[in-house]
Amino acid sequence: MKRSIASKLFISITLLIVFIVGISWIIHTQYLEKYYLDNKKEDLYKYGMELKDIYGKSQQDLYNRIEYIEDATSSEVMIFDINGLMEYGPTINRPGMGRNSRLGMMGIFNKRLLSQIIEDEVAFQFYEHPVLSTQFMLYGFRLNPEKILIIQSSVSSISDSVKIAQDFYIYIGIISLIIGTIVAYLLSRAISTPIIRLNNVATEMSKLNFKHKYIVKSNDEIGDLGTTLNYLSEQLDNTITSLNKANKKLKADIEKEKELDNMRKEFISTVSHELKTPIALVSGYAEGLKDNIVDNKEDREFYCEVIMEESNKMKNLVDDLLDISQMESGQFTLNKRLFDLSWLVNKVVDKYRPIFRERDINIKDEIVGNTFNVYGDPERIEQVLINFVNNSINHVDDKKIIQIKVQEFVDKVVVTIFNTGELIPEEEIYKIWDSFYRIDKSRSRKYGGTGLGLSIVSNILKIHNSIFGVNNLEDGVEFWFEIKKSEGEQFSIDNKNH
């Protein structure tokens, strides 16, 4: 059975109090009377030696000192001659007693005691009075060859005092036990309560709950421990929080790396597919020309055009790969200058008008204002516009509406390219800017895409410190970007309405 620290402290302190009271009782009963007798004996000896020194000098001083000693020690002082006649004592000058009355000393003090007094000059003895049945303590001193001093004190008075003290000590012991038990309980609670609170905080910490703190109420070791525990809780909370964040970031990086790896694999497959077809066509038509399969000029020109067209596709693919490689390695440089963005937009739209007409696409170009001077690389911004327009053409639906809008603000110009069509899944809207990424791989192959166009756009706009993004609208998708009228701040991607 588990015992609390409060109960252990209470039992320990109570047992200590019982032990102390018990030891005190044993000492009191076994040694108190002996202690009193020893002290009484020392007092009688001291006073006897004092009277021995005074005897023979001044009789009045001697009697005065004897009266003082008898009152102080509750004893009787007697002086006898060697024959047992009392010279001074309590019976002298009392009615019916003469000064030289014989008391029968030899009956009270045996010969052995007298011999010891005569021989050693000091003797001690306990005796019981034959009439009173009371025990006395005697000290005998030889004052001179003819005189003997006897100091007599009752031992019964000491025994009675000791018995009264022992009886009183029983009450003191009971009261001490009661008070000690109460104090033990209060003390055990006072010591155990903060320890229990510390344990509760430590238990919550073991459950990774660091909200509970120890309230420091004392400036002692427990208070210091509570302060240290609170500091440890805070440090663990910060460390575990940091580790969780790092773990989440690591997982995200691992997932990102997996996605990139999958995209690279898909890219290799796509590039192989894209290169395989033109290479096969170029090889086939070149062999046809070599073997003189065609005889007329018109067919030879057709073969040459196919070879040139497929070669150009391969060249564009290689150029895109080189551009991305340079951008991601930081080796790509821009030729920035002021240019008219409205002129550049119109140039791109005019370039694609035959395709719009061929595919029956309704192009709506809203260029608010006339001239929009911006700061950037016009060749690369044209590449951005071309990729956005190509993307819109490839993904426009049966409504066949593409809208291009240019708006001027205080320090920037915003270009938006909208096309009606299928919306981009929300979980993939941030991935479209990644290299090699394609939402619908079969659809991308249908349109001849390799997943590099938007990645190139992203890198170009980042180098321009431009903000850009994509929005899913009610009936289509809108891509947009901003370009500063002067050198701008760091880029960001925003997929919300600008």
Side-chain angles (χ1 to χ4, degrees):
M1 179 179 178
K2 183 179 179 181
R3 287 185 178 178
S4 66
I5 189 171
S7 64
K8 291 180 180 179
L9 282 171
F10 173 73
I11 293 173
S12 299
I13 296 173
T14 302
L15 290 176
L16 178 62
I17 294 172
V18 171
F19 175 77
I20 293 173
V21 172
I23 291 295
S24 300
W25 169 253
I26 293 172
I27 293 173
H28 204 81
T29 55
Q30 298 296 321
Y31 300 101
L32 182 60
E33 185 174 0
K34 183 178 183 300
Y35 175 76
Y36 279 166
L37 291 174
D38 289 342
N39 276 273
K40 189 75 170 181
K41 183 178 177 181
E42 289 179 5
D43 289 343
L44 294 180
Y45 176 80
K46 179 182 68 174
Y47 288 129
M49 297 303 292
E50 183 181 345
L51 293 176
K52 183 178 179 181
D53 292 338
I54 297 174
Y55 184 80
K57 294 179 181 179
S58 171
Q59 189 174 11
Q60 187 60 44
D61 289 344
L62 175 64
Y63 291 159
N64 291 339
R65 189 60 182 168
I66 288 174
E67 289 180 1
Y68 169 78
I69 291 172
E70 287 179 335
D71 291 338
T73 62
S74 298
S75 60
E76 295 179 352
V77 179
M78 298 168 286
I79 300 176
F80 296 90
D81 62 15
I82 196 68
N83 296 316
L85 294 176
M86 182 181 291
E87 181 181 299
Y88 177 87
T91 60
I92 298 301
N93 296 327
R94 291 182 182 177
M97 300 295 294
R99 178 174 178 83
N100 294 320
S101 298
R102 181 183 293 274
L103 297 178
M105 271 292 297
M106 298 307 293
I108 298 175
F109 312 120
N110 57 42
K111 294 180 179 180
R112 188 168 60 84
L113 176 64
L114 291 175
S115 300
Q116 188 178 356
I117 293 173
I118 293 171
E119 184 180 350
D120 299 333
E121 297 188 353
V122 178
F124 175 80
Q125 186 183 60
F126 285 103
Y127 85 98
E128 186 173 342
H129 196 284
V131 178
L132 301 177
S133 298
T134 303
Q135 192 175 27
F136 288 88
M137 176 188 294
L138 296 177
Y139 242 121
F141 301 88
R142 185 172 181 177
L143 298 177
N144 58 39
E146 302 296 330
K147 303 295 181 183
I148 294 174
L149 172 69
I150 300 295
I151 301 178
Q152 172 184 281
S153 180
S154 174
V155 176
S156 300
S157 61
I158 295 176
S159 298
D160 293 340
S161 298
V162 170
K163 187 176 185 306
I164 292 171
Q166 290 174 347
D167 292 340
F168 183 70
Y169 190 80
I170 293 175
Y171 298 105
I172 294 177
I174 294 173
I175 294 172
S176 298
L177 285 175
I178 294 172
I179 295 175
T181 302
I182 296 173
V183 171
Y185 174 77
L186 296 176
L187 185 61
S188 63
R189 294 288 298 176
I191 295 175
S192 63
T193 298
I195 295 176
I196 292 172
R197 288 167 47 214
L198 284 170
N199 182 65
N200 292 337
V201 174
T203 301
E204 293 298 322
M205 289 174 60
S206 68
K207 299 176 183 177
L208 301 182
N209 181 5
F210 303 103
K211 294 181 180 179
H212 291 74
K213 302 295 181 183
Y214 177 78
I215 301 175
V216 180
K217 295 183 178 179
S218 59
N219 187 22
D220 53 14
E221 288 81 359
I222 292 180
D224 293 340
L225 179 59
T227 302
T228 303
L229 192 66
N230 288 339
Y231 176 76
L232 177 62
S233 175
E234 184 176 350
Q235 292 298 108
L236 285 174
D237 189 15
N238 293 336
T239 302
I240 292 177
T241 300
S242 300
L243 286 174
N244 287 335
K245 290 181 180 178
N247 187 45
K248 289 180 180 178
K249 186 177 183 301
L250 179 60
K251 288 181 179 179
D253 291 343
I254 292 174
E255 291 299 321
K256 181 71 173 178
E257 186 64 28
K258 288 180 179 178
E259 290 179 4
L260 288 175
D261 186 59
N262 291 334
M263 286 188 288
R264 288 188 183 98
K265 292 178 180 178
E266 182 61 30
F267 168 73
I268 292 172
S269 175
T270 302
V271 170
S272 300
H273 175 80
E274 295 297 328
L275 289 176
K276 183 178 181 180
T277 300
I279 289 174
L281 289 173
V282 169
S283 177
Y285 279 93
E287 288 179 2
L289 290 174
K290 179 181 178 181
D291 296 337
N292 294 318
I293 294 176
V294 292
D295 297 329
N296 56 65
K297 181 180 179 182
E298 183 179 346
D299 289 338
R300 282 196 299 271
E301 289 180 356
F302 173 74
Y303 273 48
C304 290
E305 287 177 1
V306 169
I307 291 172
M308 292 175 62
E309 182 180 351
E310 297 303 323
S311 299
N312 190 53
K313 286 182 181 179
M314 289 187 288
K315 175 183 177 300
N316 291 336
L317 178 59
V318 173
D319 289 342
D320 287 345
L321 291 173
L322 290 175
D323 285 345
I324 289 178
S325 176
Q326 289 179 347
M327 291 175 187
E328 292 182 348
S329 64
Q331 298 177 354
F332 191 81
T333 57
L334 296 176
N335 183 19
K336 288 186 176 183
R337 59 185 183 274
L338 284 174
F339 67 93
D340 182 5
L341 182 60
S342 61
W343 170 82
L344 185 62
V345 172
N346 285 324
K347 174 185 175 183
V348 172
V349 171
D350 289 340
K351 182 184 296 186
Y352 279 89
R353 286 195 187 278
I355 298 177
F356 296 148
R357 286 194 297 267
E358 178 185 346
R359 299 193 181 185
D360 198 20
I361 295 175
N362 182 12
I363 179 69
K364 298 179 179 180
D365 51 327
E366 301 178 11
I367 303 176
V368 181
N370 296 318
T371 302
F372 304 122
N373 289 322
V374 295
Y375 186 79
D377 187 332
E379 286 77 16
R380 293 303 173 181
I381 297 300
E382 181 179 4
Q383 190 175 358
V384 169
L385 291 170
I386 290 173
N387 275 288
F388 277 148
V389 171
N390 274 329
N391 187 74
S392 296
I393 292 173
N394 291 336
H395 295 88
V396 71
D397 63 3
D398 294 338
K399 295 180 181 179
K400 296 188 177 182
I401 298 176
I402 294 178
Q403 184 180 47
I404 301 175
K405 184 186 300 185
V406 181
Q407 291 178 288
E408 183 178 20
F409 295 90
V410 176
D411 59 344
K412 64 186 178 182
V413 176
V414 178
V415 179
T416 60
I417 298 94
F418 166 82
N419 68 271
T420 57
E422 184 180 350
L423 304 185
I424 301 174
E426 290 297 328
E427 65 274 10
E428 300 191 21
I429 200 166
Y430 283 97
K431 302 177 182 178
I432 62 174
W433 308 103
D434 295 339
S435 300
F436 323 123
Y437 188 80
R438 295 174 302 177
I439 296 175
D440 188 334
K441 300 167 180 58
S442 62
R443 185 178 65 182
S444 295
R445 289 193 180 101
K446 175 183 176 182
Y447 298 129
T450 59
L452 298 178
L454 292 180
S455 177
I456 293 173
V457 167
S458 171
N459 281 283
I460 291 175
L461 292 176
K462 287 177 182 178
I463 298 173
H464 275 83
N465 294 320
S466 294
I467 299 174
F468 58 95
V470 58
N471 302 318
N472 281 324
L473 302 183
E474 183 178 353
D475 56 348
V477 178
E478 175 188 70
F479 286 86
W480 61 272
F481 68 94
E482 299 177 359
I483 184 167
K484 299 291 184 180
K485 293 182 178 179
S486 59
E487 194 62 43
E489 299 178 352
Q490 188 176 3
F491 76 90
S492 68
I493 301 177
D494 187 354
N495 292 323
K496 299 180 181 179
N497 291 329
H498 51 82

